[in-house]
Amino acid sequence: MKEDLYFIGTLPEPTGGVTIYNQRKVQILSKDYNVNVVQPKFDTIFKIIFVLISNKGITYISTFNFIIVFMVVIFKFKNFYFIDHNTSRHIEGFGKIKKGFSLNFLKSAKKIILVSPHLLNNYKNFDFYENLNFKIEEAFIPPNISEKNEIIENFYPKFLKDNLSGKKLVLASASKTNLDILGQDIYSLELTLKAYDNLASKYPTLLFVMAIAEFSKDEFGNRIRLICNELQKKHKNFLFLTNNTPIWPLFEHGILFLRITTTDGDSVSLKESLFFNCPVLATDVVRRPEGTKLFNLVNDDLYEQVSQIIEEFK
């Protein structure tokens, strides 16, 4: 009989790097444990309290939600593994009380799992650094290939299914239509869609896919949705996907994946693309994985650079 394990963290939806990681981590843990997932929501507070008070087994906490942090400290819960997705970088900027609880939370962890080695730098200024128990795990967990056919059947329109032969997809994605604090289009969606408009006319045998998991309910989100709808009417070889549609089964049919962001974290979709041998063109705003083709938002022309990659592929 499998041992019980509690996993406190958010699963898709919404779709994002952390939620996808959590979902795949749970799948892996389920091979050896009876995993009980508790998502940090208002209506699960009492269940979380129950776990913190009564659970003597294994608990993973994959969130830095302050309510969870507060309860862990108050209930003096120590038998847990904390998965740090780089939220620890914010601690130095917290107010005195919030910072105190956050530091006590870290001290209480049985082990801190870091999704990248560089996250160790977030801890080195803490006077209790030497007493912490770290484990470094690769943030990218490959998708479960056995789910591929089910995703294709249940999520993709017939037109897309009919085009899943060989390699002829150019892909771009965004978790949400977001602007950064300077009002910039984080995923360069307008820039990408403008390039798509010209590229779709130039390469009628290719299919240009834009996947936006969720649209913000504001003027920017409405404008991007309108552009996508207009392009879909204008070009038979343009398709836009939304409502958290998984896109990883498309990468093995892709000739290029675009990650044209103004800033970035550890992109899951970028690593999925490389995993399935789909070339990636990404901005040079952060360090990128080996094999990524780099794009500069100031000096490079997206239409020209994508055209060049397509011509090289042909």
Side-chain angles (χ1 to χ4, degrees):
M1 187 175 179
K2 292 182 179 180
E3 181 181 357
D4 284 340
L5 180 151
Y6 284 91
F7 188 98
I8 301 174
T10 304
L11 304 184
E13 303 166 354
T15 299
V18 174
T19 60
I20 291 173
Y21 171 93
N22 288 344
Q23 184 181 56
R24 293 176 183 172
K25 184 69 174 178
V26 166
Q27 291 174 339
I28 291 172
L29 291 169
S30 296
K31 295 176 182 178
D32 300 311
Y33 298 95
N34 178 31
V35 180
N36 300 281
V37 176
V38 185
Q39 301 202 56
K41 300 177 181 179
F42 180 77
D43 59 359
T44 62
I45 287 177
F46 289 108
K47 187 169 184 180
I48 292 171
I49 291 173
F50 168 78
V51 173
L52 299 182
I53 292 176
S54 64
N55 182 38
K56 305 300 181 185
I58 301 170
T59 300
Y60 278 75
I61 298 179
S62 186
T63 177
F64 210 57
N65 181 305
F66 185 67
I67 295 176
I68 307 296
V69 170
F70 176 81
M71 290 194 295
V72 164
V73 176
I74 289 296
F75 294 118
K76 298 180 179 179
F77 186 64
K78 296 182 180 296
N79 192 32
F80 70 96
Y81 297 80
F82 169 57
I83 303 175
D84 182 7
H85 300 273
N86 203 15
T87 49
S88 56
R89 73 189 187 278
H90 298 298
I91 293 177
E92 289 293 353
F94 288 166
K96 184 176 180 180
I97 294 176
K98 187 174 182 179
K99 182 177 179 180
F101 272 97
S102 298
L103 294 178
N104 279 309
F105 172 85
L106 297 177
K107 290 179 187 177
S108 301
K110 184 175 182 180
K111 183 173 289 186
I112 298 173
I113 299 172
L114 305 176
V115 297
S116 176
H118 81 273
L119 299 190
L120 277 171
N121 295 327
N122 297 343
Y123 294 82
K124 289 181 178 178
N125 290 330
F126 302 151
D127 56 14
F128 54 89
Y129 168 73
E130 297 294 338
N131 297 325
L132 297 176
N133 186 11
F134 295 103
K135 180 181 181 182
I136 297 172
E137 288 187 359
E138 168 62 48
F140 175 63
I141 301 174
N144 186 345
I145 306 300
S146 66
E147 297 176 351
K148 174 186 168 183
N149 290 337
E150 183 180 351
I151 290 172
I152 292 173
E153 185 61 33
N154 294 334
F155 286 91
Y156 295 166
K158 184 178 185 301
F159 173 67
L160 180 55
K161 294 176 190 175
D162 291 343
N163 280 276
L164 295 183
S165 60
K167 282 183 172 283
K168 53 183 168 183
L169 306 184
V170 176
L171 302 139
S173 70
S175 60
K176 193 173 184 179
T177 49
N178 279 334
L179 300 174
D180 63 20
I181 57 174
L182 299 176
Q184 293 181 300
D185 176 359
I186 291 177
Y187 291 96
S188 301
L189 294 171
E190 289 188 280
L191 175 67
T192 303
L193 290 168
K194 182 180 178 180
Y196 266 15
D197 189 11
N198 294 318
L199 290 162
S201 298
K202 185 176 182 180
Y203 299 102
T205 60
L206 301 181
L207 178 59
F208 295 84
V209 180
M210 171 62 76
I212 302 175
E214 184 181 351
F215 283 87
S216 54
K217 294 179 173 61
D218 55 17
E219 189 275 334
F220 177 66
N222 292 336
R223 184 166 76 248
I224 296 300
R225 186 188 289 274
L226 179 62
I227 295 172
C228 288
N229 284 328
E230 288 177 345
L231 288 181
Q232 198 156 241
K233 292 176 183 177
K234 181 178 179 180
H235 300 288
K236 292 182 179 179
N237 60 331
F238 171 82
L239 177 68
F240 106 88
L241 303 172
T242 188
N243 297 323
N244 292 283
T245 300
I247 64 168
W248 65 261
L250 302 178
F251 287 129
E252 65 178 298
H253 303 285
I255 62 173
L256 184 63
F257 173 64
L258 302 176
R259 182 78 179 180
I260 313 300
T261 52
T262 59
T263 184
D264 219 339
D266 194 19
S267 170
V268 172
S269 53
L270 187 154
K271 290 189 174 182
E272 286 176 336
S273 184
L274 293 174
F275 179 79
F276 287 105
N277 297 313
C278 175
V280 174
L281 177 66
T283 43
D284 56 3
V285 292
V286 295
R287 186 177 179 181
R288 299 297 191 179
E290 185 178 349
T292 305
K293 301 175 188 294
L294 297 179
F295 177 84
N296 185 275
L297 280 164
V298 176
N299 299 320
D300 294 332
D301 182 285
L302 186 60
Y303 168 78
E304 293 295 336
Q305 201 151 337
V306 173
S307 294
Q308 181 180 339
I309 293 171
I310 291 173
E311 291 299 327
E312 290 172 355
F313 177 81
K314 291 167 64 178

